[in-house]
Amino acid sequence: YAQLLRRDIVATVVNSSELTHAGKKVATVDAIVSADETGNTLVIVNRHPSLDATCQLSIEGANLGSGGPIVLDGGSVAGPSPNGLILSQPDITVQDLIVQNFTSSASGTGILISRNGAKVLSNTTTGNRIGIATTSIVSTFTISGNTVNSNGNSNSTGGISIAGNPTAGVITNNEISQNTGNGILVLGGVVLISDNSIFCNTNSGIS
């Protein structure tokens, strides 16, 4: 089926366990740097026919020939999309993407961190219900160098929302502006907030 996919989208790095066969080792998880005809799908292949596999995945925005970065747009699918990206494995890095228009009232988060060690670097989140958020089980994360603007609605934190009780969170060098709601909402725990530019948010800059 890989022959049916376009080969033009994402620079992808996958680190996984290995299989040994006939004296040779191959990665359990492999990645096809491709997308379907809509340009929205990255295919990751588990080489093992019967066992689950896990991997660490780093996604970076790329120049697609037109000069623009990769855009994840919740407004381009039928119906409201719950979230743009969910980082559901530890130590994932997401960098140089635009994530926009994820507005579902159930969640509607541009980038949702749900495991420890995530790095969200130099992305733009705009027009989402929440720009960037963590779930209550996350204790370590870095959110740095992002543009987080024009997110939120009348009953939701707009910019960055930190749940639970993190022990080593970092929010630094971001521009957080024009969100409906708070710029940054921290519900508890230990989070270092430094060198951010926070302005023109409807409620508090930091709460």
Side-chain angles (χ1 to χ4, degrees), residues 34-45:
S34 304
D36 62 16
E37 61 186 11
T38 67
N40 294 324
T41 302
L42 173 67
V43 178
I44 301 176
V45 177

Side-chain angles (χ1 to χ4, degrees), residues 108-121:
T109 302
I111 300 174
L112 178 62
I113 301 169
S114 65
R115 291 295 185 272
N116 288 327
K119 295 181 179 180
V120 179
L121 309 175

Side-chain angles (χ1 to χ4, degrees), residues 78-166:
S81 298
N83 300 289
L85 285 176
I86 302 175
L87 310 186
S88 59
Q89 294 295 325
D91 303 318
I92 292 177
T93 298
V94 175
Q95 184 171 353
D96 297 326
L97 305 181
I98 296 175
V99 186
Q100 63 188 29
N101 299 327
F102 290 88
T103 58
S104 168
S105 59
S107 182
T109 302
I111 300 174
L112 178 62
I113 301 169
S114 65
R115 291 295 185 272
N116 288 327
K119 295 181 179 180
V120 179
L121 309 175
S122 302
N123 302 282
T124 296
T125 62
T126 185
N128 306 289
R129 184 169 176 262
I130 305 173
I132 302 170
T134 69
T135 65
S136 60
I137 64 172
V138 173
S139 59
T140 62
F141 61 86
T142 299
I143 300 171
S144 179
N146 302 281
T147 299
V148 183
N149 62 22
S150 301
N151 300 283
N153 57 33
S154 60
N155 64 1
S156 174
T157 297
I160 297 174
S161 179
I162 307 302
N165 288 284

Side-chain angles (χ1 to χ4, degrees), residues 46-68:
N46 177 3
R47 294 179 184 269
H48 199 289
S50 59
L51 297 179
D52 292 339
T54 61
C55 65
Q56 294 180 350
L57 178 63
S58 175
I59 302 176
E60 297 184 6
N63 188 316
L64 305 184
S66 61

